Amino acid sequence: MDGLNLRFSPAAGRQEQLGLWLKSWQLGQQMQARVIEMSPRGKLLLDISGHKVTAITDVPVEKGALLRLQVNSLYPVPGMKIIDAPPPSPACLLYTS
């Protein structure tokens, strides 16, 4: 799944703590995320290490899926790519098309 970028912005809540957390990221660092919600347009709400962040992707994933992510950019906007995700169910593929 190389090259699939996710761009993050803080969800409502602890922006100050999120900023400190983002500053600790390193290129190549891997993290696990759980999909909390996904809209038909590819907007995700993710839980990464207890932080809720939003992301945009064209990869179909399902609510509750565990994703393995890798940091691939830090500036100007932190970015990640999906390096492992469970295959979506056929219903998920129809929903996101």
Side-chain angles (χ1 to χ4, degrees), residues 10-31:
R14 309 169 309 205
Q15 291 186 11
E16 195 171 299
Q17 289 177 351
L18 182 62
L20 293 173
W21 177 61
L22 291 174
K23 288 180 182 181
S24 72
W25 287 14
Q26 298 177 8
L27 289 175
Q29 179 180 353
Q30 293 185 11
M31 298 178 206

Side-chain angles (χ1 to χ4, degrees), residues 6-10 17-33 46-49 51-55 69-75 77-81:
L6 301 175
R7 297 289 179 199
F8 292 87
S9 62
Q17 289 177 351
L18 182 62
L20 293 173
W21 177 61
L22 291 174
K23 288 180 182 181
S24 72
W25 287 14
Q26 298 177 8
L27 289 175
Q29 179 180 353
Q30 293 185 11
M31 298 178 206
Q32 190 173 42
L46 301 173
D47 183 334
I48 306 173
S49 302
H51 297 275
K52 291 182 176 51
V53 293
T54 57
L69 307 172
Q70 183 176 40
V71 177
N72 67 350
S73 69
L74 297 170
Y75 182 82
V77 177
M80 303 182 96
K81 64 182 176 181

Side-chain angles (χ1 to χ4, degrees), residues 1 6 8 30-36 44-48 55 57 59-62 64-70 80-87:
M1 294 195 179
L6 301 175
F8 292 87
Q30 293 185 11
M31 298 178 206
Q32 190 173 42
R34 179 172 301 278
V35 178
I36 298 171
L44 302 175
L45 178 59
L46 301 173
D47 183 334
I48 306 173
T57 184
V59 177
V61 294
E62 295 185 57
L66 286 176
L67 309 176
R68 193 163 44 125
L69 307 172
Q70 183 176 40
M80 303 182 96
K81 64 182 176 181
I82 300 171
I83 56 175
D84 190 32

